[in-house]
Amino acid sequence: MACLSFLASIGLSLSGCADKPAATSGEPTFYKQLAAYSAKVDEPAARDMISIYRRNNGLSAISIDPQLQKVAAAQVKAMAEADQLSHTVAGSLMTRLDGAGFQHSTAVENVSAGYHTLAEAFSGWRQSPPHNANMLSPAMRRMGIATAYAPGSKYKVFWALVMTD
């Protein structure tokens, strides 16, 4: 119940600041079903959701980084193609960041599968101590987030959130 009220308050907070309009159904984009080939996570909504959560915990907001978006997208694509939930299916996070020429001193990654909406993924990450610690890591300033749909998989939707300083 607390999670629903938290998400509702985020919905009210995000209604005036999202870079993209809400889903055509009038429903906030963090409830949009992502188990479809054409579905794509709303990155600004994810950024806002995580930034509000961080601010509520005394931390700085984060920004979307185009390079990190590509790193996250490559990771979910590799997981979906392998039908495997793994931090290393496409190489370690540091190897992938270095290969993309990304400058950083610290980085974290949340990978998951089976969540069909951004709200579900965010709630799951908040309830998982290691994933929650990543979202609340004080050094993080930039992020990339992506999903990949794999209809033949038991998971259906794979997720990657990459954050760096």
Side-chain angles (χ1 to χ4, degrees), residues 35 80 82-85 113-116 149-158:
D83 192 16
Q84 179 182 1
L85 178 60
Y115 299 122
H116 289 207
Y149 175 56
S153 170
K154 69 179 179 180
Y155 300 114
K156 304 294 183 218
V157 182
F158 289 84

Side-chain angles (χ1 to χ4, degrees), residues 77-133:
K77 182 178 184 236
M79 289 191 304
E81 288 174 353
D83 192 16
Q84 179 182 1
L85 178 60
S86 168
H87 285 279
T88 59
V89 70
S92 73
L93 175 59
M94 295 308 164
T95 300
R96 290 182 276 126
L97 289 172
D98 292 344
F102 196 81
Q103 299 298 311
H104 62 89
S105 60
T106 186
V108 296
E109 177 179 60
N110 287 356
V111 296
S112 56
Y115 299 122
H116 289 207
T117 68
L118 175 57
E120 289 174 0
F122 179 73
S123 179
W125 292 337
R126 282 183 53 228
Q127 293 174 19
S128 162
H131 291 107
N132 192 52

Side-chain angles (χ1 to χ4, degrees), residues 5-148:
S5 63
F6 176 78
L7 290 173
S9 70
I10 287 177
L12 293 174
S13 298
L14 295 178
S15 63
C17 65
D19 290 350
K20 296 181 185 177
T24 56
S25 68
E27 185 173 62
T29 59
F30 50 83
Y31 291 130
K32 178 183 174 187
Q33 291 292 320
L34 298 175
Y37 284 116
S38 62
K40 185 174 184 274
V41 65
D42 184 341
E43 295 104 354
R47 174 210 53 218
D48 292 346
M49 185 179 285
I50 295 167
S51 289
I52 289 167
Y53 183 55
R54 288 174 56 84
R55 277 193 222 113
N56 287 343
N57 284 277
L59 300 169
S60 64
I62 54 173
S63 62
I64 297 170
D65 185 284
Q67 280 183 286
L68 291 179
Q69 285 296 124
K70 291 176 185 175
V71 170
Q75 177 65 11
V76 294
K77 182 178 184 236
M79 289 191 304
E81 288 174 353
D83 192 16
Q84 179 182 1
L85 178 60
S86 168
H87 285 279
T88 59
V89 70
S92 73
L93 175 59
M94 295 308 164
T95 300
R96 290 182 276 126
L97 289 172
D98 292 344
F102 196 81
Q103 299 298 311
H104 62 89
S105 60
T106 186
V108 296
E109 177 179 60
N110 287 356
V111 296
S112 56
Y115 299 122
H116 289 207
T117 68
L118 175 57
E120 289 174 0
F122 179 73
S123 179
W125 292 337
R126 282 183 53 228
Q127 293 174 19
S128 162
H131 291 107
N132 192 52
N134 285 345
M135 289 194 303
L136 295 178
S137 177
M140 299 304 113
R141 300 287 181 267
R142 300 173 287 180
M143 67 167 270
I145 189 169
T147 58

